[in-house]
Amino acid sequence: MPAQALSPIVACIPHLRRYARGLLRDRDLADDLVQDTLERAWAKYALWQEGRGELRVWLFSIMHNLFIDRVRSQQHRREDAWSEQTPEMADHRQPGDNLGLRDLDRLLQRLPDPQREVLLLVAVEGLTYQEVAELLAVPVGTVMSRLSRARERLR
């Protein structure tokens, strides 16, 4: 990867971290997801160069796919080892955290993954419905529906 490509990727890291922390409650797991995303992007940078879409959307797409792979992997492990308990994600909130933010975080974590993903990408990351649809490989109507249902559940 050329050195000049590193700067735009580095600029996306705060967005990736925020999205990962929205997907996962555990900061360490979120940071691992960001690192895995960056490693995959580094290895496949030539593929992005060919398509030349928006870099941030491409990175979110990589992260989304890694997240889905992990969720599926956990489901398979639970099915294969039914007697093992899946550990709860660690709660690293500080006692002095703002109560409103803690409540919002709890509510976000209760949303189904597809709704939470769309809400975070649209409301927090500012992606358009079209960008989210492409990233998640779903129709724009599905994005709008998931966003509407997520907002309704939060209310």
Side-chain angles (χ1 to χ4, degrees):
M1 175 184 293
Q4 67 267 22
L6 195 55
S7 180
I9 290 176
V10 170
C12 292
I13 291 175
H15 300 284
L16 293 170
R17 289 185 80 202
R18 186 171 46 230
Y19 182 47
R21 286 185 179 168
L23 293 173
L24 304 162
R25 288 184 92 159
D26 185 294
R27 287 181 187 227
D28 293 332
L29 290 176
D31 287 343
D32 288 346
L33 182 59
V34 170
Q35 181 176 343
D36 292 346
T37 299
L38 294 172
E39 286 176 12
R40 173 116 5 127
W42 185 270
K44 306 223 181 244
Y45 184 73
L47 293 175
W48 176 75
Q49 287 258 295
E50 292 172 12
R52 275 306 226 193
E54 185 182 341
L55 180 63
R56 187 171 63 137
V57 173
W58 181 66
L59 291 170
F60 281 141
S61 179
I62 291 171
M63 180 176 285
H64 169 76
N65 291 334
L66 288 170
F67 174 72
I68 294 300
D69 289 347
R70 287 181 183 175
V71 168
R72 287 180 181 152
S73 174
Q74 288 173 349
Q75 288 173 346
H76 288 292
R77 275 187 266 147
R78 277 186 287 215
E79 291 169 3
D80 292 343
W82 60 271
S83 63
E84 291 183 64
Q85 291 291 335
T86 303
E88 289 290 319
M89 290 187 188
D91 188 354
H92 292 289
R93 291 181 290 214
Q94 300 298 316
D97 284 352
N98 184 312
L99 290 176
L101 289 177
R102 286 191 348 210
D103 291 343
L104 178 59
D105 180 49
R106 269 188 246 131
L107 290 172
L108 281 172
Q109 294 306 319
R110 288 183 183 166
L111 290 175
D113 288 343
Q115 291 177 15
R116 186 172 65 247
E117 290 168 346
V118 169
L119 183 67
L120 291 170
L121 290 169
V122 171
V124 177
E125 296 303 329
L127 298 181
T128 66
Y129 294 167
Q130 185 62 42
E131 289 171 328
V132 174
E134 290 171 14
L135 189 152
L136 301 177
V138 297
V140 174
T142 301
V143 170
M144 295 168 64
S145 174
R146 289 178 182 175
L147 183 61
S148 174
R149 283 183 273 142
R151 287 177 173 162
E152 185 60 35
R153 286 186 75 162
L154 285 178
R155 276 190 216 106

